[in-house]
Amino acid sequence: DDRLQLGIMFTAILDRSAIGLSTLCILHCLALPIALVMAPSVSAFWFAEEQFHTMLLYVVLPTSVIALTLGCKQHKSRTTLMWGFAGLFILISAAALGHDWIGEAGEKLFTVIGAIMVMVSHVLNFRMCRSDQCEH
């Protein structure tokens, strides 16, 4: 039972982290252009560069995969896992195709959709791991 509780706590931490990172990703995509127009000096900051988006993806990927996989082992909801992996696939596609292939608006759209899907999957994962389905 202690190992199960530890696993649940670990999954909860990862779910919350992934939700926060996905939110940060959405804010970066949507708010940064507005910030650049309002205050051009923002472009000098490290988070205004394209590498910031890639860095977020490197953190979101393992966090999401581990949390969703552990959660799926507990609650057996493959739907939650598929939502998360589909969102991650969209995020990876947006980063790989970039604005050169799908345009800047397309890249932002794919990123926002993927991040929302990842967030939804982690909220579902978090809730299911705390429901009666996990017997705790």
Side-chain angles (χ1 to χ4, degrees):
D1 257 352
D2 288 340
R3 288 181 62 193
L4 179 63
Q5 282 295 44
L6 187 60
I8 292 167
M9 286 176 27
F10 184 64
T11 302
I13 291 168
L14 291 176
D15 281 329
R16 288 179 179 139
S17 298
I19 291 167
L21 290 167
S22 295
T23 302
L24 184 60
C25 192
I26 291 170
L27 289 175
H28 180 258
C29 283
L30 299 179
L32 187 62
I34 295 168
L36 289 173
V37 170
M38 301 293 272
S41 62
V42 170
S43 65
F45 291 106
W46 60 273
F47 58 82
E49 298 179 15
E50 186 64 30
Q51 290 83 10
F52 182 75
H53 192 139
T54 305
M55 183 182 68
L56 276 175
L57 190 58
Y58 285 134
V59 177
V60 168
L61 277 171
T63 304
S64 292
V65 168
I66 293 168
L68 294 172
T69 303
L70 289 174
C72 187
K73 285 182 180 181
Q74 292 175 10
H75 54 66
K76 310 287 190 251
S77 173
R78 300 222 188 281
T79 304
T80 302
L81 189 67
M82 297 315 293
W83 266 90
F85 283 6
L88 291 173
F89 177 77
I90 292 171
L91 287 174
I92 293 167
S93 298
L97 296 176
H99 57 268
D100 293 335
W101 286 27
I102 57 177
E104 191 169 333
E107 182 182 13
K108 287 186 187 316
L109 179 65
F110 275 96
T111 300
V112 169
I113 290 170
I116 289 171
M117 290 176 72
V118 170
M119 283 175 51
V120 166
S121 70
H122 283 288
V123 169
L124 292 172
N125 195 49
F126 185 81
R127 288 180 180 170
M128 286 183 177
C129 283
R130 271 128 203 90
S131 72
D132 293 334
Q133 294 175 2
C134 287
E135 300 174 13
H136 59 273

